[in-house]
Amino acid sequence: MIPILLLSTFVSAIPSASAETDLGINVDAAILIDADTGKILYEQNADTSLGIASMSKMMSEYILLDAIKEGTITWDQQYHVTEYTYKMSQDRALSNVPLRRDGTYSIQELYEAMAIYSANAATVGIAETIAGSETEFVKLMNEKAKEIGLEGYSFVNATGLNNADLFGMHPEGTGAEDENVMPARSVAKLAYHLLKDHPEVLETSSIPKKTFREGTDDQIEMANWNWMLPGLVSEYQGVDGLKTGSTLLAGQCFTGTAERNGTRLIAVVMNAKDSKGNSVRTARFDAAAKLFNYGFEQFTKQEIVPSNYVFEGNETLAVTKGKEDNVDIAVKEPISLVVKTNEKDLYVPKLELDKKSLEAGVEKGAVVGKVVIEKTEGEDYGFIDGKDFSTDVVTTNSVERAGFVSLFFQGVGSFFGNVWDGITGFVGGLF
């Protein structure tokens, strides 16, 4: 766990973005990525671990949707309220839908309350259903974080609240005032993998308002805390998710996603403030809007490498023991990247072959290497998974193995060729 005092030290020393890419956003950290490839378009202090508050619920959603897909949990499964979740749900100072002490609620109801209204007791109810207790669920959160390659993270509860708000019932092995932390880069990576594995999350995160338990005495209006959704105060065209967060430690945080003209972006802002340095709820949406504007206005998706692209000088690969001496090779799939509109020519393909030759028979479509994209000059942030974006290079025809007679004469020719090379080398050495 990273102490609050240490976090404060980090925040006081936060560097600003380079002048070339400074977007004028007043945040402790930010990052913008392309949701398709994970290409990073902008970052600002993205590697410092900071409080993430209710953005933590993206991990809780991830684990639930995994369980639904695996069939270990069902949407209509009923949850019986515990003393812990009952007590938490009655605290209206926290984001909650009130739960009855003796009530039962479907996982679908709890999920909608979590994803739309950031309901904390509903989130704990989901955690208890999946893992038996929030303590065990936190272990799943940290395991999932490790699985998808997050860094600098520490999950201490399912909700993102400070443990001090959990009525002394915080998960075992965590401190009484601990709080979930993670760098902006890892928050974006979590959102990236969540959307890749469970795009259906947007069906719920995009709902601006919904009534919890409509038609009952317990009904309550759930207004989405994501004010960038259609019809809300900070509406932004194309936004349909993903998760807000706010605590004293974390400040005003937001992970947003928006899609325009076939391009989807993910933006993360942490501890956003207005122009006067005040922590107000709209500041996170103003910062996210600047990130989205930058992405949609200055970047476009462009084809860098077409399908069946052939590298000059590497049109073929040598083949031994075959009816042919070589096989044709080409790029299997096209590569398109979201890049600055005027920088397309700075991105060049680089061929990386696995071997210098193949042994027959060679099947059509066999993978023989890959092509990666490199930027020849200027700033490039890479990809959110920390890997080069690549596509396979494959054979475009087949080469059958030569028959016995052909192989025999190939062997004889090779033998005498080697002998001759040895003789000429020896003679050359004499002179």
Side-chain angles (χ1 to χ4, degrees):
M1 181 63 199
I2 298 178
I4 294 177
L5 179 60
L6 183 56
L7 282 171
S8 299
T9 302
F10 285 157
V11 171
S12 65
I14 287 172
S16 61
S18 65
E20 181 184 357
T21 55
D22 187 2
L23 302 183
I25 52 177
N26 189 3
V27 297
D28 282 355
I31 191 168
L32 177 71
I33 70 170
D34 169 39
D36 180 29
T37 63
K39 183 166 181 20
I40 302 170
L41 311 183
Y42 175 87
E43 64 178 45
Q44 180 176 330
N45 192 43
D47 294 310
T48 297
S49 293
L50 301 168
I52 58 174
S54 282
M55 294 193 299
S56 306
K57 292 184 176 78
M58 290 190 293
M59 180 61 83
S60 297
E61 292 169 352
Y62 205 148
I63 294 172
L64 171 61
L65 294 172
D66 277 351
I68 293 291
K69 182 179 287 187
E70 293 162 3
T72 56
I73 298 292
T74 62
W75 287 121
D76 59 0
Q77 187 169 332
Q78 298 296 302
Y79 167 73
H80 298 275
V81 176
T82 63
E83 184 62 26
Y84 177 26
T85 52
Y86 169 72
K87 189 172 183 179
M88 179 183 287
S89 75
Q90 304 308 303
D91 188 346
R92 298 310 304 276
L94 305 176
S95 184
N96 271 310
V97 292
L99 304 177
R100 289 184 176 271
R101 188 188 297 271
D102 59 350
T104 59
Y105 299 83
S106 72
I107 295 300
Q108 179 76 46
E109 290 178 299
L110 298 181
Y111 170 66
E112 290 177 349
M114 172 175 67
I116 298 170
Y117 199 51
S118 198
N120 291 295
T123 303
V124 175
I126 289 171
E128 291 178 342
T129 301
I130 292 174
S133 69
E134 188 177 14
T135 294
E136 293 303 311
F137 188 78
V138 167
K139 293 179 182 178
L140 296 180
M141 297 175 78
N142 285 293
E143 288 171 5
K144 188 69 177 180
K146 182 178 180 180
E147 176 189 323
I148 62 178
L150 304 188
E151 296 181 353
Y153 62 88
S154 176
F155 288 103
V156 298
N157 60 53
T159 60
L161 292 170
N162 190 287
N163 275 356
D165 294 321
L166 303 185
F167 314 99
M169 293 182 280
H170 52 274
E172 296 176 15
T174 67
E177 295 184 357
D178 284 353
E179 190 165 320
N180 297 343
V181 298
M182 196 155 46
R185 186 183 309 279
S186 288
V187 176
K189 192 171 184 178
L190 170 60
Y192 171 74
H193 282 277
L194 175 60
L195 291 179
K196 285 288 187 184
D197 291 346
H198 301 291
E200 69 274 15
V201 70
L202 297 176
E203 297 172 9
T204 306
S205 69
S206 62
I207 299 173
K209 295 180 182 179
K210 186 164 186 175
T211 303
F212 181 74
R213 291 232 146 173
E214 187 171 11
T216 73
D217 293 339
D218 298 331
Q219 76 174 35
I220 179 174
E221 190 74 15
M222 299 187 298
N224 203 313
W225 294 108
N226 177 4
W227 293 354
M228 298 188 84
L229 291 173
L232 302 185
V233 66
S234 297
E235 178 180 356
Y236 187 94
Q237 180 188 348
V239 168
D240 51 6
L242 197 53
K243 194 70 198 71
T244 58
S246 176
T247 64
L248 288 176
L249 171 65
Q252 298 296 320
C253 302
F254 180 51
T255 299
T257 182
E259 183 176 24
R260 289 186 183 178
N261 301 318
T263 296
R264 176 173 291 281
L265 303 179
I266 296 170
V268 177
V269 294
M270 303 177 73
N271 196 16
K273 303 177 183 68
D274 65 13
S275 59
K276 297 180 180 179
N278 298 317
S279 181
V280 295
R281 286 177 177 172
T282 54
R284 54 190 170 185
F285 307 124
D286 294 339
K290 288 183 179 180
L291 287 171
F292 285 139
N293 287 342
Y294 176 67
F296 288 125
E297 293 172 4
Q298 296 200 30
F299 292 78
T300 54
K301 184 174 289 186
Q302 302 194 44
E303 186 176 72
I304 308 299
V305 179
S307 182
N308 300 316
Y309 178 82
V310 175
F311 285 84
E312 185 176 352
N314 292 102
E315 298 86 353
T316 63
L317 196 60
V319 176
T320 61
K321 301 181 180 179
K323 290 184 177 181
E324 305 290 340
D325 293 333
N326 52 60
V327 62
D328 295 334
I329 60 174
V331 175
K332 182 179 181 181
E333 302 287 346
I335 295 181
S336 293
L337 293 177
V338 173
V339 299
K340 279 191 174 180
T341 305
N342 62 350
E343 290 187 348
K344 178 184 177 181
D345 294 340
L346 299 181
Y347 291 86
V348 296
K350 178 183 177 183
L351 176 64
E352 296 181 359
L353 293 175
D354 296 333
K355 299 178 181 178
K356 294 182 178 180
S357 65
L358 300 173
E359 182 176 325
V362 177
E363 298 290 336
K364 180 180 179 180
V367 177
V368 296
K370 66 179 181 179
V371 56
V372 298
I373 304 300
E374 293 185 347
K375 191 177 182 184
T376 56
E377 62 180 74
E379 189 175 41
D380 185 67
Y381 296 116
F383 295 84
I384 197 65
D385 271 338
K387 302 175 183 177
D388 292 324
F389 188 73
S390 64
T391 190
D392 290 336
V393 175
V394 299
T395 57
T396 58
N397 61 292
S398 59
V399 176
E400 296 180 6
R401 190 175 178 84
F404 173 78
V405 175
S406 296
L407 288 175
F408 172 77
F409 283 108
Q410 284 182 19
V412 170
S414 177
F415 171 77
F416 283 109
N418 290 336
V419 170
W420 177 251
D421 288 343
I423 292 173
T424 54
F426 174 73
V427 173
L430 295 176
F431 297 97

